[in-house]
Amino acid sequence: MKNIVKKEVWVMDHFSIKFILYKIKNGDTICCIAKKFGITIEMILEANKNKSPRQLTVGDTLRVPIIVFVEVLHRERSW
């Protein structure tokens, strides 16, 4: 996708949350962006608390959270 500007990653215990900076294009809505990335509107709004959805314009960027589940392998210690 050419609208992705930057990627950011947070790693948790069993999943990581990647934030993609998405550049808004003509015709985009919060709903269609959420569907495009398989997330909820609420997740986009939470990641962009400082932006009003009603004031977004073409060319603005949104942080879009992407959740990636990771397998955690535990290693037993031998004492």
Side-chain angles (χ1 to χ4, degrees):
M1 291 182 183
K2 61 184 176 182
N3 288 26
I4 296 173
V5 179
K6 179 183 168 187
K7 293 182 181 180
E8 179 182 325
V9 180
W10 293 2
V11 178
M12 309 293 188
D13 276 345
H14 299 290
F15 62 92
S16 65
I17 301 174
K18 296 181 179 183
F19 289 92
I20 296 171
L21 292 184
Y22 180 82
K23 190 172 184 178
I24 298 173
K25 61 183 180 190
N26 192 32
D28 276 343
T29 64
I30 299 286
C31 184
C32 75
I33 294 168
K35 284 181 183 178
K36 185 181 296 187
F37 288 98
I39 59 173
T40 65
I41 295 168
E42 290 77 15
M43 291 172 73
I44 292 177
L45 296 177
E46 181 70 23
N48 296 278
K49 287 184 178 180
N50 60 334
K51 296 184 178 184
S52 169
R54 296 184 189 276
Q55 296 177 345
L56 294 174
T57 60
V58 172
D60 286 350
T61 56
L62 287 176
R63 291 178 74 206
V64 178
I66 307 296
I67 299 173
V68 179
F69 291 94
V70 294
E71 183 178 349
V72 177
L73 301 176
H74 295 280
R75 186 173 170 185
E76 291 183 26
R77 290 185 180 183
S78 55
W79 300 96

